Amino acid sequence: MSFFTRNRDELITRGIDPERLPPGQYRTDRFPVLQAGSVPRVDLDTWDFVVDGLVRNPVRWSWEDVQGIPSRDVTADIHCVTKWSKFDTSWTGIPTRDVWEKIGADPEATHVLVKAYHGYTANLPIEDFLSQDSLFAHTYEGEPLTLEHGFPLRLVVPRLYFWKSVKWCRGFTVLAQDEPGFWERNGYHMYGDPFREQRFSND
Ligand SMILES: Nc1nc2c(c(=O)[nH]1)N[C@H]1C(S)=C(S)[C@@H](COP(=O)(O)O)O[C@H]1N2
Ligand SMILES: [Mo]
């Protein structure tokens, strides 16, 4: 029996609904660290969060500004395209919807391109970006994010593969069309639904 089959069977033994595990994934308790390139040097004094593109109220927030915005908790399963899934991860942060309310996006807006240090980007349709469980998270399991997991702020959009959940997030651009981000230009799927196994551009 393969590792993947055993891992899926184990869910039932543990009383976990196996439907929560997308095809081709295995469940792990570990929290692997993944990124292209190195961990950035973060200086909170000069850090800013910028929203631009098709918005009436462009934003440039300092870290202090961000800390003044109310947070909420989200518990969700996350799915990495390298095949690990982690269940019931808990995050605290600013709902993407609350940011959206402040920026006055143009009615023609369809997508966002989310940005980080070192030019890392990821594209998402607005509907997914604004899903109920999407956050700009500053806290993981009750503790501030560690640097390797995206300190001080990362996007968390659990319903898409985890490469869309941009670590070290510095803002986003609102667009009237879809534009590939870093991994999407390098062969990954433009959308990335784990339950439809949209790993690579031709999946
Ligand atoms: N800025 C940035 N964010 C990123 C990445 C990256 O390379 N740079 N990698 C993505 C990928 S491929 C994954 S699987 C997750 C991993 O998050 P973790 O290291 O907290 O598990 O971060 C995503 N966010
Ligand atoms: Mo990933």
Side-chain angles (χ1 to χ4, degrees):
M1 201 192 279
S2 82
F3 166 76
F4 284 90
T5 312
R6 246 185 299 122
N7 185 278
R8 195 168 286 271
D9 288 350
E10 214 180 88
L11 296 179
I12 300 166
T13 320
R14 288 169 182 253
I16 300 170
D17 179 0
E19 294 291 307
R20 283 169 65 185
L21 192 65
Q25 297 289 110
Y26 68 91
R27 191 201 64 92
T28 182
D29 285 321
R30 295 185 311 118
F31 193 4
V33 173
L34 279 138
Q35 69 258 341
S38 55
V39 170
R41 191 166 325 157
V42 175
D43 174 6
L44 289 182
D45 292 333
T46 56
W47 184 94
D48 58 9
F49 186 91
V50 173
V51 183
D52 57 14
L54 298 175
V55 292
R56 258 196 325 275
N57 316 311
V59 156
R60 182 184 294 274
W61 287 326
S62 66
W63 178 240
E64 204 183 335
D65 296 333
V66 167
Q67 284 176 297
I69 305 174
S71 288
R72 67 174 281 241
D73 299 331
V74 161
T75 298
D77 302 343
I78 56 177
H79 311 290
C80 174
V81 73
T82 63
K83 303 200 167 182
W84 56 268
S85 291
K86 190 169 168 61
F87 287 174
D88 299 315
T89 61
S90 69
W91 305 88
T92 310
I94 302 162
T96 50
R97 290 180 180 195
D98 294 353
V99 174
W100 197 256
E101 264 177 26
K102 297 176 198 286
I103 62 174
D106 191 295
E108 284 176 17
T110 60
H111 290 77
V112 292
L113 190 66
V114 182
K115 301 182 169 177
Y117 287 80
H118 300 337
Y120 186 87
T121 53
N123 55 315
L124 298 91
I126 286 164
E127 194 193 331
D128 300 275
F129 177 66
L130 298 182
S131 63
Q132 193 73 258
D133 55 1
S134 297
L135 295 177
F136 290 107
H138 48 69
T139 299
Y140 173 72
E141 309 284 353
E143 301 286 340
L145 283 181
T146 59
L147 186 57
E148 57 185 4
H149 286 298
F151 173 87
L153 197 70
R154 77 175 297 166
L155 182 64
V156 177
V157 177
R159 66 154 77 168
L160 299 176
Y161 278 125
F162 211 39
W163 86 76
K164 301 282 187 181
S165 291
V166 174
K167 302 199 279 188
W168 310 294
C169 183
R170 294 289 295 275
F172 59 93
T173 300
V174 177
L175 301 168
Q177 72 287 324
D178 200 4
E179 274 181 24
F182 175 80
W183 280 118
E184 297 80 7
R185 284 195 303 272
N186 287 281
Y188 281 16
H189 198 277
M190 283 292 272
Y191 184 57
D193 179 351
F195 287 91
R196 287 189 276 163
E197 225 177 338
Q198 295 171 335
R199 298 176 194 275
F200 306 109
S201 54
N202 53 353
D203 284 342

